[in-house]
Amino acid sequence: MCSRSCSRWIGVSLYPLVLTSIICNIVLFFPGWDVKYAKEGHITQEVQYFGGIVGGGLMMLIPAIYFHLAAENGCCGIRSGMFLPILLAAAGAAGGVYSFVVALLGVYNGPFCGVFGGIWTRPFQKSYFIYLINHTLWAICSEPENVVQFNTGLFCTLMATSCVQVLLCAIQMLNGLVGCLRGACNNKAFYHVNYNPNIFIAFLCFVL
């Protein structure tokens, strides 16, 4: 697969993964599908690290847009033009790793829940994942309802999503390296005439 086609494919593939990461992180703020826990501060600490929104979301969205637009505008594979995609792919991979680590900690430490007696704590924090296979322990959390399944399911989704994101960014880094060494544009003049990097810079300024 040539550099241009590969970049377009990676950029488009990242969009649904970015959306999934952001949605999962947002939903985690509403355990039991109720806003009162967020208002009362009864939210798992890792949710507030915004791993899905920042790491798997914004840090991945900017590279995805660049890969897609650069390929659509004619060429992304000339030697000098592929250096920036390598840096953006590396930044996206770092965001994916951040999202994965935060989600892993979220699963490892377990949910923040109300136990019998009205005490709010993290009863599985030092269980070393044992609670995941011993479902009888889940009854310890009386509030929010089904919070263990809720917490584990969304964090595991974030982990799976971030793994795919990091893999795609690694492919793009390799793709960019190939473009730097070989070049992959059949018509370099087309790139200089039609692809204006100022458009992308203006878009970043608008987003930020």
Side-chain angles (χ1 to χ4, degrees):
M1 183 181 289
C2 70
S3 294
R4 175 184 172 187
S5 299
C6 182
S7 293
R8 180 189 300 113
W9 176 79
I10 290 174
V12 172
S13 299
L14 284 173
Y15 290 146
L17 298 173
V18 168
L19 183 61
T20 300
S21 293
I22 294 175
I23 290 176
C24 284
N25 201 151
I26 292 174
V27 173
L28 278 165
F29 276 96
F30 308 104
W33 305 104
D34 198 325
V35 299
K36 72 175 184 178
Y37 301 110
K39 292 180 179 179
E40 296 170 355
H42 295 154
I43 298 296
T44 304
Q45 188 175 10
E46 287 77 16
V47 178
Q48 303 175 51
Y49 293 159
F50 297 105
I53 295 176
V54 176
L58 296 179
M59 289 183 67
M60 200 66 64
L61 179 61
I62 293 176
I65 293 174
Y66 182 88
F67 301 153
H68 185 198
L69 293 182
E72 290 295 334
N73 278 277
C75 176
C76 58
I78 61 174
R79 291 174 176 83
S80 60
M82 289 305 292
F83 185 67
L84 180 57
I86 292 176
L87 294 179
L88 289 173
V97 170
Y98 174 69
S99 178
F100 178 86
V101 171
V102 171
L104 179 62
L105 288 174
V107 176
Y108 177 80
N109 292 321
F112 186 65
C113 64
V115 298
F116 298 109
I119 300 173
W120 285 85
T121 183
R122 305 189 75 171
F124 311 120
Q125 193 162 15
K126 298 184 186 231
S127 67
Y128 301 99
F129 299 108
I130 293 177
Y131 78 96
L132 294 177
I133 58 177
N134 189 353
H135 295 181
T136 59
L137 295 175
W138 295 3
I140 295 176
C141 289
S142 59
E143 188 182 7
E145 185 178 359
N146 298 322
V147 68
V148 178
Q149 299 94 311
F150 181 87
N151 188 80
T152 304
L154 289 171
F155 273 129
C156 285
T157 301
L158 278 173
M159 289 171 61
T161 301
S162 60
C163 285
V164 178
Q165 289 176 324
V166 171
L167 177 61
L168 291 175
C169 285
I171 294 174
Q172 177 58 26
M173 291 173 68
L174 180 61
N175 178 51
L177 180 61
V178 172
C180 286
L181 296 177
R182 296 178 52 190
C185 186
N186 295 326
N187 185 359
K188 296 182 180 181
F190 182 87
Y191 175 85
H192 292 293
V193 171
N194 291 277
Y195 176 58
N196 184 359
N198 291 329
I199 296 177
F200 181 71
I201 295 174
F203 173 79
L204 289 182
C205 292
F206 174 77
V207 172
L208 299 176

